[in-house]
Amino acid sequence: MNEYKYFSYFYDDVVAKVKYKDWLDFIRPYLTPNSSILDLACGSGTLAILLKLNGYDVEGLDLSESILKMAKEKTKMHHLVIPYHLANMTNFNLNKKYDVITCFFDSINFLKNKTEIEELFASVYQHLNPNGLFIFDVFSKRMLKHYKHHKFTLKAPTHQLIWKTKTKKPNLLIHEIKIKESEETFLETYKEYYHDMSLFSSHQFSLEKLSGDFKDTLDKKDERILFVMKKSYEE
């Protein structure tokens, strides 16, 4: 699985226009004031901080040590306390359970295959309370086509970032990121994979809702597919 490295320190600048409130509004109907939440692939903590500011008990988990460092610094700037865990979301063990586990911003698309997806679902299952919810999103074929040839440039007084995307094979999206800072240049590559929706069916979970682009419906024009799945039974 991909792990953000030097790119972590520029991540918030690149996604500055992303409306994280859309995810907050999407999950809010499934939360109560007492809900405990674990945000997988939490990145720099933006959603976790939003949840905490809205009064929810939330924790974050991510594979990247550098981006968790950013999350912790942002959390302190908001005078908040949020536990963050350094772990792989496919095989984590926190020895506790939650009411809701989230995984957003197509983070599941960083998983390579069915085996890794099944490992993720198994870990999530073990960390959910009875009838707990797993809420996540993935990108659609439409979004995959949208990023077939995409380029984004971020220029600042101290650095320049060039982010290019391209597709390879029917289901592979490659991100190539070049960061120029002073006399140094950093090159990083990340891979995402399109997954058919059938891979997200699990006998341990029931599908509560399937929608696109934060609406109540799903159609071919949607770029982001959102799932709400309930833990079906306790072993």
Side-chain angles (χ1 to χ4, degrees):
M1 186 176 172
N2 298 269
E3 172 190 349
Y4 285 154
K5 297 176 182 176
Y6 195 66
F7 174 54
S8 299
Y9 301 103
F10 305 91
Y11 179 81
D12 280 350
D13 293 333
V14 173
V15 301
K17 295 183 179 180
V18 173
K19 298 178 181 179
Y20 282 89
K21 190 176 180 295
D22 288 341
W23 283 280
L24 175 65
D25 292 342
F26 183 79
I27 65 176
R28 200 190 289 268
Y30 303 97
L31 304 178
T32 70
N34 297 320
S35 291
S36 57
I37 308 161
L38 175 64
D39 186 29
L40 300 180
C42 66
S44 61
T46 302
L47 180 61
I49 290 169
L50 275 174
L51 286 163
K52 191 69 174 181
L53 288 171
N54 280 270
Y56 298 108
D57 179 18
V58 60
E59 300 180 17
L61 182 147
D62 202 281
L63 179 65
S64 170
E65 186 173 3
S66 56
I67 208 162
L68 282 183
K69 181 180 178 181
M70 302 296 294
K72 292 173 183 177
E73 290 176 356
K74 283 170 59 177
T75 301
K76 287 181 181 178
M77 288 174 61
H78 284 86
H79 306 288
L80 300 173
V81 176
I82 298 175
Y84 290 104
H85 308 279
L86 178 64
N88 189 323
M89 67 183 185
T90 61
N91 59 8
F92 61 98
N93 185 6
L94 305 182
N95 293 312
K96 65 183 299 185
K97 296 189 177 184
Y98 304 84
D99 299 313
V100 177
I101 295 180
T102 59
C103 188
F104 289 132
F105 211 176
D106 50 79
S107 296
I108 288 179
N109 292 105
F110 282 93
L111 302 182
K112 291 186 294 185
N113 49 41
K114 181 180 179 181
T115 298
E116 290 191 348
I117 291 171
E118 289 176 345
E119 290 172 347
L120 166 67
F121 270 74
S123 292
V124 168
Y125 180 87
Q126 293 299 327
H127 288 78
L128 278 175
N129 287 321
N131 296 314
L133 297 175
F134 183 30
I135 308 178
F136 62 92
D137 67 32
V138 295
F139 62 66
S140 68
K141 282 189 176 180
R142 185 178 179 88
M143 184 180 286
L144 185 66
K145 291 178 181 178
H146 176 78
Y147 282 99
K148 184 175 183 179
H149 297 291
H150 176 81
K151 182 178 179 180
F152 171 83
T153 302
L154 176 66
K155 294 183 179 180
T158 58
H159 62 272
Q160 181 184 47
L161 183 147
I162 301 171
W163 169 37
K164 296 180 181 179
T165 60
K166 62 182 180 180
T167 56
K168 191 175 182 180
K169 300 180 181 180
N171 69 328
L172 178 59
L173 176 64
I174 300 175
H175 302 263
E176 296 178 344
I177 299 171
K178 179 186 291 186
I179 302 166
K180 297 180 180 180
E181 189 173 31
S182 299
E183 301 298 321
E184 295 186 274
T185 299
F186 302 88
L187 295 171
E188 297 183 8
T189 301
Y190 302 101
K191 297 179 180 179
E192 288 189 278
Y193 303 83
Y194 168 78
H195 299 299
D196 187 87
M197 288 192 295
S198 63
L199 292 182
F200 305 112
S201 62
S202 168
H203 69 279
Q204 294 179 316
F205 291 85
S206 60
L207 181 62
E208 297 292 301
K209 183 174 183 178
L210 180 64
S211 62
D213 290 347
F214 306 102
K215 309 187 309 297
D216 287 330
T217 58
L218 176 65
D219 58 55
K220 293 181 179 180
K221 295 181 180 179
D222 294 325
E223 294 193 341
R224 190 172 301 281
I225 303 171
L226 296 112
F227 292 75
V228 180
M229 304 190 76
K230 179 185 287 188
K231 182 176 180 178
S232 356
Y233 64 90
E234 189 72 42
E235 291 179 336

